Amino acid sequence: MIKVDIVGLGNVGTHLRRALSKTADVASVNPRTFDGLRRDCEICFIAVSDSAIDGVAQKISERLASDSILVHTSGSTPISVLENKSRNTGVFYPLQTFSKEVELNYENLPVLIEANNEATENSLRQLAAAAGFKSSAASSEQRKSIHLAAVICCNFVNHLWHLSDDYLKRNNLDFKLLLPLIGETFGKISKVSPRDAQTGPASRHDMKTLEKHLDMLENNEELRTIYKILSDSIMKYYAR
Amino acid sequence: MIKVDIVGLGNVGTHLRRALSKTADVASVNPRTFDGLRRDCEICFIAVSDSAIDGVAQKISERLASDSILVHTSGSTPISVLENKSRNTGVFYPLQTFSKEVELNYENLPVLIEANNEATENSLRQLAAAAGFKSSAASSEQRKSIHLAAVICCNFVNHLWHLSDDYLKRNNLDFKLLLPLIGETFGKISKVSPRDAQTGPASRHDMKTLEKHLDMLENNEELRTIYKILSDSIMKYYAR
């Protein structure tokens, strides 16, 4: 079994340990004392906060065999932070939000992989495959783009739900009423592209409904502005 | 068993028939010929396109017993369209997108109910309960608000996914990578309010990341504007 050390006891470290323990000989390493770090481990994961990666990598590099693979798990940190800290370096970025308390199914978990040489990339992709993950190669630049897209697809989307919740409360209606409809909206994009899944008044250029909605929002400047900008944007993509 | 006639053979009519047939004696009625309409049915549903409701209701009123309940199923049409067409009128609006071909679990389907008198409202809510739906009372005004919120929660959300898909394509990345993360974002709001579920750079007032992202979008004016407005809006709701 491949020897894998995971430095960091947080959300990512905990989930990585669980996910890899079936296919690898995994050891957890305290990122302050480095107790338990195995000089001869084949892959050493650094799963600490972004700002701590540089310092932790430095300390590990003094304790690791020269051919061990040194890897971090951060989406927004370039691979270059590991430069000169090992001969073989990489990034192994799981695209999921982890909470220690929430169990996850790791089957097909998307993982973005980058490495400073081909042999290292192959080792990381093999490990991902053995764990049942779905790995893709992505450069540091691409990981930055994915992070930006995740903000739009998750944080902004959640904010639209938040604004709707507030709006419905003011009309004595319960946001939970919309959950089945929202669930179906999400369900659709696993089958067709979001472009093909679109429905609603803006995609039909139904100006009567759009104007009625803008009138209904005349006392809610914030939501009115967002309604207008997103409707205008939708209309650009669909023929009249 | 209560006699229920459903006028209309489209998506809503088809699903209503399937959902009610366990708890009611249901007949489907052709909305052009009115073949099969039973004069003594207790509840008559009009499940036709919004613009056809008025005309169909008129024709039905000539064929229905005076104490039958006449109901339409439209979100954005007021109950007043049925005025003078029966003594007992109502709205029975299922909050879900229906496609004839897609089977649905009707358990807990949210239905918004309105009626012109209490006895009619009770009958409609009893029917909904018998079918396993989750009914709430909502005025015509409130149904309009729910429709507006649905546009924001579903159409606008889908558009953000569409813009992200386009953005990722330009960076040779696959939108599907984000599906598990988006699924988890949706999963969260069944447990906590969207307000409490929010994460990401704007909610943390992480100006460094916001500026980095705006820089990355400098050649994409459309997405840059949306990024700025939604981030500014998020920041207003979360303390620094």
Side-chain angles (χ1 to χ4, degrees):
Chain A
M1 258 185 168
I2 181 171
K3 270 189 188 170
V4 172
D5 283 9
I6 299 175
V7 183
L9 312 166
N11 290 323
V12 175
T14 303
H15 279 279
L16 264 183
R17 180 170 50 72
R18 282 185 207 154
L20 297 177
S21 55
K22 272 184 208 149
T23 49
D25 165 14
V26 180
S28 273
V29 176
N30 184 305
R32 286 189 183 79
T33 60
F34 299 100
D35 286 347
L37 187 73
R38 296 172 296 187
R39 190 178 164 71
D40 63 341
C41 74
E42 280 145 283
I43 304 179
C44 177
F45 282 94
I46 303 177
V48 300
S49 65
D50 290 4
S51 56
I53 294 173
D54 195 3
V56 167
Q58 188 56 51
K59 297 264 176 60
I60 291 175
S61 72
E62 299 156 10
R63 290 164 168 86
L64 214 58
S66 66
D67 58 347
S68 297
I69 297 174
L70 186 60
V71 170
H72 77 65
T73 59
S74 159
S76 51
T77 308
I79 190 175
S80 58
V81 71
L82 301 177
E83 226 161 51
N84 302 321
K85 280 152 192 159
S86 180
R87 197 191 299 155
N88 304 311
T89 62
V91 180
F92 191 97
Y93 172 51
L95 249 173
Q96 183 54 283
T97 44
F98 294 121
S99 311
K100 272 188 202 175
E101 320 76 48
V102 181
E103 283 201 35
L104 271 179
N105 177 7
Y106 304 111
E107 197 68 37
N108 290 318
L109 179 81
V111 176
L112 300 184
I113 286 174
E114 183 177 10
N116 73 336
N117 61 62
E118 216 182 308
T120 300
E121 186 179 327
N122 289 340
S123 299
L124 295 176
R125 295 196 69 152
Q126 271 166 29
L127 180 70
F133 302 161
K134 203 169 159 271
S135 73
S136 322
S139 66
S140 294
E141 205 56 36
Q142 286 179 315
R143 270 201 319 284
K144 258 170 63 181
S145 301
I146 275 274
H147 181 235
L148 169 53
V151 166
I152 296 169
C153 290
C154 299
N155 304 153
F156 288 1
V157 159
N158 184 74
H159 188 56
L160 292 180
W161 293 336
H162 175 185
L163 294 176
S164 301
D165 187 3
D166 283 358
Y167 170 78
L168 289 174
K169 269 201 193 88
R170 268 178 256 124
N171 292 278
N172 295 314
L173 286 161
D174 187 355
F175 174 72
K176 286 206 158 38
L177 288 169
L178 288 173
L179 287 181
L181 203 55
I182 294 174
E184 185 70 16
T185 305
F186 169 64
K188 267 196 205 168
I189 57 160
S190 352
K191 293 167 216 149
V192 296
S193 74
R195 188 194 175 97
D196 292 334
Q198 190 59 288
T199 60
S203 67
R204 293 193 305 269
H205 292 256
D206 173 354
M207 304 310 290
K208 227 172 106 178
T209 299
L210 295 183
E211 272 156 35
K212 212 158 62 172
H213 283 173
L214 288 172
D215 284 349
M216 289 166 69
L217 293 172
E218 68 178 350
N219 297 316
N220 190 333
E221 202 45 58
E222 179 173 29
L223 200 47
R224 198 173 187 279
T225 305
I226 291 170
Y227 189 99
K228 213 174 153 1
I229 282 175
L230 288 174
S231 292
D232 287 349
S233 177
I234 291 172
M235 285 194 278
K236 278 189 226 160
Y237 288 84
Y238 297 89
R240 214 169 303 249
Chain B
M1 254 184 171
I2 181 171
K3 271 189 185 170
V4 171
D5 283 10
I6 299 174
V7 183
L9 312 165
N11 289 326
V12 175
T14 303
H15 278 279
L16 263 185
R17 181 170 51 70
R18 279 185 209 156
L20 297 178
S21 56
K22 272 185 207 147
T23 50
D25 164 14
V26 180
S28 274
V29 177
N30 185 303
R32 287 190 183 75
T33 60
F34 300 100
D35 287 347
L37 188 73
R38 297 171 294 187
R39 187 176 167 71
D40 63 340
C41 74
E42 281 145 282
I43 304 178
C44 178
F45 283 93
I46 304 177
V48 300
S49 65
D50 290 3
S51 57
I53 294 173
D54 196 3
V56 167
Q58 187 58 50
K59 297 262 176 59
I60 291 174
S61 73
E62 298 156 11
R63 290 163 167 87
L64 214 57
S66 66
D67 57 346
S68 296
I69 297 173
L70 187 61
V71 170
H72 77 64
T73 59
S74 159
S76 51
T77 309
I79 189 175
S80 57
V81 72
L82 302 177
E83 226 159 49
N84 304 321
K85 279 151 193 159
S86 180
R87 197 192 298 154
N88 303 311
T89 60
V91 181
F92 192 98
Y93 172 50
L95 249 172
Q96 183 55 285
T97 44
F98 295 121
S99 311
K100 272 189 203 176
E101 320 77 50
V102 181
E103 282 201 37
L104 269 180
N105 177 8
Y106 304 111
E107 196 68 40
N108 291 317
L109 180 80
V111 176
L112 299 184
I113 285 176
E114 183 177 12
N116 73 335
N117 61 61
E118 216 182 308
T120 301
E121 185 178 328
N122 288 340
S123 299
L124 295 176
R125 294 195 72 154
Q126 270 166 31
L127 180 70
F133 301 161
K134 203 170 158 269
S135 73
S136 323
S139 66
S140 293
E141 205 54 35
Q142 286 180 316
R143 271 201 319 284
K144 260 170 62 183
S145 300
I146 276 274
H147 181 235
L148 169 52
V151 166
I152 296 169
C153 290
C154 299
N155 304 152
F156 289 0
V157 159
N158 184 75
H159 187 57
L160 291 179
W161 293 335
H162 175 185
L163 294 176
S164 301
D165 187 3
D166 283 359
Y167 171 78
L168 289 173
K169 269 199 193 88
R170 268 178 257 122
N171 291 279
N172 295 315
L173 286 159
D174 186 354
F175 174 74
K176 284 206 159 37
L177 288 169
L178 287 174
L179 287 181
L181 204 53
I182 294 173
E184 184 70 16
T185 305
F186 170 64
K188 266 197 208 169
I189 58 160
S190 352
K191 292 169 217 147
V192 296
S193 73
R195 187 193 175 98
D196 291 336
Q198 190 59 287
T199 59
S203 68
R204 290 193 308 267
H205 293 256
D206 173 355
M207 303 311 291
K208 226 172 111 179
T209 300
L210 294 182
E211 273 158 33
K212 213 159 62 174
H213 284 172
L214 289 171
D215 283 350
M216 289 165 70
L217 293 172
E218 68 177 350
N219 297 318
N220 188 332
E221 201 46 56
E222 180 174 27
L223 200 47
R224 198 174 188 277
T225 306
I226 292 171
Y227 188 99
K228 214 175 148 3
I229 282 173
L230 287 174
S231 292
D232 286 350
S233 176
I234 292 172
M235 283 194 278
K236 278 189 226 160
Y237 288 85
Y238 297 89
R240 212 170 302 252

